[in-house]
C-alpha cells in the first residue's frame, strides 16, 4: 500500500496573513460580547465564509501575471509636477502612442465615453458631430453629423450601438451611423446612463422625469417624476444599479424603477450639485457643487467622510478601476490618488488644457488612459496606475473576436436582470422567504379557527351603550315605516296582496 500524501498549501499561514491585510474588509465583530445565541451563530458562519474568501483570493493572486504601476517621485520631487511630454519620453513606444489630441474647434465642446472593454471611443460635439473609432489603431467606426444639438452620449450593450441625447428626443444608432430608433418618450433629454446588466437606458431632462427604457424589447419600463426640476448631474452605482441624481437645491436622490419615491435623499451641498461619481465597489460617492467643494460620502452610512476645497466649482468627475479620482475645474483636470482613504494634501497628477473648457471626462478600462472632451476637441492623457492590470475574458475582453462578441451578447441577454431587482441592499435578493407550514382544516382546533379582531377602544362602555341605542332606534324606525306604508295602501285602496288575473272570479261582499 502506498503512502497517503498530505495536502500542501501553496501559501503558508504567514503569507496568508499578509495577503489578508490586502483583501480583508476591516475587523470582524467581537463575538464574546454578543449574548444572542442565534445572532452569534450567524456571525460565526459569516466570519468563516469571509476567511475562506480571503484564502481563495490569496491563491488566485498567483494566477495574475501583471501588476499595476504608478508614478514614484524622487526625494524632493512631486508627481503632480510631471508633465505629459516628460512621461511620453520615458515610456515605451506602444504606451507613447496612447497620448494624442484631436483638434476639432468647430463642433465643440465635446463629450467622450469609452466602451466597457476599453477598446472603442465615442465622442459627441454639442453642435451635432458624432464619431466612433478604435482609439488604439485609429480605425474609424462611423462618423456623422446629427444637425442638431447634442447634450449627452452613451454606449449600449456592445460596440455596435450608441445612444445620443439630441435636442428634442433620444436616438439609437448602429455601428454604421444609421438611425435605428427615435425614442419619442424621452423628451428633451439632458443626461444618459446605461445599465449593462439590466439592459436599461436611463434618461432625464428638462421635464424633470426619470425614464427607464428596456433596449432588449424596446419598451418604456417606468417613468418617475422627481418633482425637483431638471437635474444638474446623473450617474449610477455600478454595484447595485441605483441611479443618483444631483439637483439644484443641493440634494442627491437615489432611484430604483420599482419605487415612485426616491430611496434616499441627501443634502450634500449649499448649491446645485454639478457632478457625481460612484466607485466600482459602490461604497463611496463623490460630489461637486457650486459652493466650490468636492466631498466624499460613505454610501453605506450616508455620511460625509472627506471634503476638499477648490478655487472654482468642479464640472466633471470620474473614478478609475483602481480608485483614482479625476475632477475637472474649468480647463484643468486633477487626478487624486487614495482620495477615499485619507485626506490628501495635493493631487497625484494635473493637466491644463489652455484656452478650453473641459466638458467630458472618462477613464479607459484596462488602460492607463484618461480621455478629455473639451471645446477644442479631444485629448488622451497617460495616467500610470489608472487601469486594471488583469482582465477577466469571460466578463470583459479587450481583444475579443467577432465570434466572441456574438456569444457574449447572447450570454448577457440570457443573464439579464429584471428591473424589479434593483435595490440598495443586494444582500436581500438571495435570501429566501420563510414559508409557514400549512395545516389542514381538519387538524385545527376549534379555538384556532375563531377569528379575533382586536380593536383598541371599540368595546368601551360608551361604545356599547351607543350601539345598543342605535339598535333600538333602528327597530323603532322600521316599525314606524311599516305602519306608514300600510296606512298609505289602505287610503289608496291598494290591496296588500298582489293582484292576479284570477282575482276577477273572487266573491265580492256587498
Amino acid at each position: 500500500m502506498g503512502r497517503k500524501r498530505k495536502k500542501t498549501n501553496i501559501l503558508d499561514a504567514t503569507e496568508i496573513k499578509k495577503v489578508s491585510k490586502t483583501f480583508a474588509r476591516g475587523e470582524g465583530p467581537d463575538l464574546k460580547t454578543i449574548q444572542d445565541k442565534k445572532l452569534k451563530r450567524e456571525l460565526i458562519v459569516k466570519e468563516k465564509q469571509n476567511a475562506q474568501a480571503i484564502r481563495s483570493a490569496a491563491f488566485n493572486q498567483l494566477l495574475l501575471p501583471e501588476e499595476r504601476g504608478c508614478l514614484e517621485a524622487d526625494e524632493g520631487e512631486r508627481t503632480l509636477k510631471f508633465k505629459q511630454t516628460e512621461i511620453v519620453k520615458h515610456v515605451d513606444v506602444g504606451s507613447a502612442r496612447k497620448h494624442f489630441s484631436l483638434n476639432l474647434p468647430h463642433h465643440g465642446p465635446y463629450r467622450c465615453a469609452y466602451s466597457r472593454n476599453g477598446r472603442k471611443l465615442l465622442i459627441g460635439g454639442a453642435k451635432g458631430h458624432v464619431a466612433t473609432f478604435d482609439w488604439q489603431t485609429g480605425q474609424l467606426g462611423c462618423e456623422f453629423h446629427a444637425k442638431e444639438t447634442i447634450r449627452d452620449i452613451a454606449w449600449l450593450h456592445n460596440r455596435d450601438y450608441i445612444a445620443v441625447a439630441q435636442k428634442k428626443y433620444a436616438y439609437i444608432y448602429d455601428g454604421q451611423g444609421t438611425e435605428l430608433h427615435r425614442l419619442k418618450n424621452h423628451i428633451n433629454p439632458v443626461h444618459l446612463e446605461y445599465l449593462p446588466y439590466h439592459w436599461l437606458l436611463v434618461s432625464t431632462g428638462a421635464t424633470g422625469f426619470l425614464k427607464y427604457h428596456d433596449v432588449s424589447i424596446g419598451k418604456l419600463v417606468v417613468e418617475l417624476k422627481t418633482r425637483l426640476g431638471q437635474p444638474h448631474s446623473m450617474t449610477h452605482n455600478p454595484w447595485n444599479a441605483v441611479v443618483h441624481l444631483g439637483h439644484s437645491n443641493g440634494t442627491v436622490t437615489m432611484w430604483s424603477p420599482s419605487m415612485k419615491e426616491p430611496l434616499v435623499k441627501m443634502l450634500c451641498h449649499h448649491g446645485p450639485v454639478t457632478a457625481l461619481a460612484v466607485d466600482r465597489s459602490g461604497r463611496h460617492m463623490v460630489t461637486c457643487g457650486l459652493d466650490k467643494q468636492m466631498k466624499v460620502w460613505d454610501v453605506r452610512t450616508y455620511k460625509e467622510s472627506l471634503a476638499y476645497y477648490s478655487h472654482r466649482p468642479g464640472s466633471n468627475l470620474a473614478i478609475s478601476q483602481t480608485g483614482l479620482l479625476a475632477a475637472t475645474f474649468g480647463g484643468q483636470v486633477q487626478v487624486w490618488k487614495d482620495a477615499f482613504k485619507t485626506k490628501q494634501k495635493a493631487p497625484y497628477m494635473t493637466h491644463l488644457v489652455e484656452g478650453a473648457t473641459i466638458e467630458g471626462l472618462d477613464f479607459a478600462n484596462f488602460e492607463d488612459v484618461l480621455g478629455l472632451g473639451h471645446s477644442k476637441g479631444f485629448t488622451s492623457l497617460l495616467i500610470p496606475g489608472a487601469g486594471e492590470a488583469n482582465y477577466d475574458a469571460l466578463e470583459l475582453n479587450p481583444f475579443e473576436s467577432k465570434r466572441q462578441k456574438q456569444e457574449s451578447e447572447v450570454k448577457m441577454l440570457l443573464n439579464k436582470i429584471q428591473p424589479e431587482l434593483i435595490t440598495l441592499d443586494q444582500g436581500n435578493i438571495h435570501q429566501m422567504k420563510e414559508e409557514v407550514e400549512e395545516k389542514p382544516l381538519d387538524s385545527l382546533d376549534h379555538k384556532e379557527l375563531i377569528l379575533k379582531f382586536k380593536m383598541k377602544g371599540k368595546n368601551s362602555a360608551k361604545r356599547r351603550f351607543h350601539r345598543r341605542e342605535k339598535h333600538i332606534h333602528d327597530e323603532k324606525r322600521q316599525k314606524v315605516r311599516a305602519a306608514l306604508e300600510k296606512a298609505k295602501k289602505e287610503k289608496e285602496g291598494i290591496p296588500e296582496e298582489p293582484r292576479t288575473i284570477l282575482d276577477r272570479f273572487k266573491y265580492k261582499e256587498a
Side-chain angles (χ1 to χ4, degrees):
M1 295 178 66
R3 291 183 177 180
K4 292 184 179 180
R5 294 184 178 180
K6 295 182 179 180
K7 294 182 179 179
T8 57
N9 294 333
I10 300 176
L11 299 178
D12 57 4
T14 56
E15 292 179 349
I16 291 177
K17 288 182 180 180
K18 293 180 182 179
V19 176
S20 64
K21 295 180 181 180
T22 306
F23 293 98
R25 296 191 175 187
E27 297 181 358
D30 189 3
L31 300 176
K32 295 181 180 179
T33 59
I34 299 175
Q35 298 180 357
D36 190 352
K37 293 183 179 180
K38 183 179 179 182
L39 177 60
K40 189 174 183 179
R41 187 166 58 253
E42 291 178 355
L43 291 176
I44 290 173
V45 172
K46 286 195 174 183
E47 285 299 314
K48 289 182 179 179
Q49 292 176 354
N50 293 337
Q52 182 63 29
I54 293 173
R55 183 181 292 272
S56 62
F59 285 123
N60 293 334
Q61 191 178 21
L62 297 176
L63 302 176
L64 303 180
E66 302 292 339
E67 293 183 0
R68 68 185 184 96
C70 62
L71 282 178
E72 293 183 357
D74 295 335
E75 187 177 355
E77 294 183 343
R78 302 169 70 185
T79 56
L80 64 92
K81 296 295 183 180
F82 295 160
K83 296 183 179 180
Q84 289 292 312
T85 54
E86 298 175 355
I87 296 174
V88 170
K89 290 179 182 179
H90 293 85
V91 297
D92 57 284
V93 178
S95 299
R97 292 175 59 184
K98 297 176 183 178
H99 172 65
F100 62 91
S101 296
L102 300 178
N103 188 19
L104 303 168
H106 302 294
H107 302 288
Y110 277 84
R111 290 185 174 273
C112 60
Y114 288 97
S115 59
R116 293 183 63 222
N117 61 1
R119 190 72 182 182
K120 296 286 185 175
L121 175 63
L122 169 64
I123 59 174
K127 297 180 181 178
H129 179 233
V130 181
T132 63
F133 55 93
D134 190 331
W135 61 274
Q136 295 187 15
T137 61
Q139 183 179 0
L140 182 66
C142 71
E143 185 179 12
F144 61 93
H145 201 287
K147 298 181 181 180
E148 223 178 13
T149 302
I150 292 178
R151 297 189 177 98
D152 203 359
I153 53 177
W155 288 97
L156 296 185
H157 54 279
N158 59 21
R159 62 195 180 193
D160 292 336
Y161 299 95
I162 60 174
V164 181
Q166 297 180 198
K167 183 178 181 180
K168 193 173 182 180
Y169 302 114
Y171 292 81
I172 295 179
Y173 298 90
D174 64 356
Q176 305 298 325
T178 306
E179 179 185 327
L180 299 179
H181 302 286
R182 180 173 59 181
L183 307 179
K184 292 186 177 181
N185 293 322
H186 301 256
I187 303 173
N188 300 328
V190 178
H191 302 286
L192 291 178
E193 284 288 331
Y194 180 69
L195 310 181
Y197 299 103
H198 303 77
W199 291 64
L200 291 176
L201 178 65
V202 188
S203 75
T204 183
T207 57
F209 282 87
L210 181 65
K211 303 179 181 181
Y212 290 81
H213 200 103
D214 194 334
V215 298
S216 63
I217 58 177
K219 291 184 179 180
L220 187 69
V221 176
V222 70
E223 187 174 344
L224 304 176
K225 191 174 183 179
T226 61
R227 298 182 179 87
L228 292 172
Q230 175 181 334
H232 284 245
S233 54
M234 182 173 74
T235 188
H236 78 279
N237 191 334
W239 178 255
N240 53 17
V242 173
V243 175
H244 296 226
L245 296 180
H247 303 279
S248 58
N249 59 355
T251 60
V252 173
T253 55
M254 303 181 189
W255 296 85
S256 170
S258 58
M259 298 289 290
K260 293 184 179 180
E261 297 296 329
L263 302 174
V264 178
K265 194 173 183 180
M266 303 169 55
L267 180 61
C268 298
H269 292 274
H270 298 290
V273 182
T274 56
L276 284 170
V278 183
D279 68 337
R280 189 169 62 167
S281 64
R283 302 182 199 172
H284 303 285
M285 178 181 68
V286 187
T287 61
C288 282
L290 283 181
D291 55 359
K292 299 181 182 180
Q293 290 189 32
M294 182 175 67
K295 297 182 179 181
V296 180
W297 301 82
D298 192 336
V299 181
R300 296 166 293 182
T301 59
Y302 310 111
K303 293 182 180 180
E304 177 185 339
S305 56
L306 297 171
Y308 298 88
Y309 295 88
S310 59
H311 61 284
R312 61 186 304 176
S315 55
N316 295 279
L317 289 171
I319 301 176
S320 70
Q321 291 178 309
T322 57
L324 296 184
L325 172 63
T328 60
F329 306 92
Q332 185 185 28
V333 58
Q334 298 179 358
V335 181
W336 297 78
K337 185 180 179 181
D338 298 331
F340 305 140
K341 298 179 181 179
T342 57
K343 189 170 182 178
Q344 304 297 318
K345 296 181 180 179
Y348 172 59
M349 293 182 67
T350 60
H351 182 75
L352 177 64
V353 183
E354 297 181 357
T357 303
I358 300 174
E359 292 291 337
L361 184 69
D362 195 15
F363 280 100
N365 290 339
F366 311 110
E367 295 288 346
D368 295 341
V369 172
L370 174 63
L372 303 178
H374 46 81
S375 55
K376 288 186 176 181
F378 175 81
T379 302
S380 177
L381 304 180
L382 295 179
I383 309 295
E388 185 68 40
N390 303 280
Y391 62 90
D392 185 0
L394 298 177
E395 175 66 18
L396 294 173
N397 188 2
F399 309 102
E400 64 181 2
S401 60
K402 186 176 180 180
R403 180 66 176 174
Q404 290 175 336
K405 182 178 74 68
Q406 294 173 351
E407 292 179 355
S408 64
E409 184 175 355
V410 174
K411 290 179 181 178
M412 287 176 62
L413 193 57
L414 292 174
N415 297 329
K416 174 187 170 184
I417 304 174
Q418 295 301 319
E420 293 79 11
L421 299 179
I422 298 178
T423 57
L424 280 175
D425 188 7
Q426 294 294 322
N428 294 333
I429 294 177
H430 67 271
Q431 295 179 359
M432 296 182 64
K433 182 180 178 181
E434 295 182 359
E435 297 182 358
V436 181
E437 185 180 357
E438 297 182 358
K439 298 180 180 179
L441 294 176
D442 299 338
S443 62
L444 295 177
D445 297 336
H446 177 67
K447 295 181 179 180
E448 297 182 4
L449 293 175
I450 297 175
L451 300 178
K452 294 182 179 181
F453 299 95
K454 294 183 179 181
M455 297 180 289
K456 187 176 181 181
K458 298 293 185 180
N459 201 27
S460 61
K462 185 179 178 181
R463 294 288 183 120
R464 289 198 301 269
F465 173 76
H466 283 298
R467 283 199 298 269
R468 186 168 59 252
E469 289 293 324
K470 184 179 179 183
H471 182 66
I472 294 172
H473 287 306
D474 290 342
E475 289 181 353
K476 291 181 179 179
R477 192 178 293 111
Q478 290 178 2
K479 290 179 181 179
V480 172
R481 285 179 180 175
L484 290 174
E485 290 179 0
K486 186 177 181 180
K488 185 178 180 180
K489 290 178 180 179
E490 290 178 355
K491 186 178 180 179
E492 295 178 357
I494 301 174
E496 295 183 2
E497 297 179 359
R499 292 179 60 85
T500 62
I501 195 170
L502 300 176
D503 289 346
R504 65 179 69 182
F505 301 106
K506 287 183 178 181
Y507 175 76
K508 295 181 180 181
E509 296 181 357

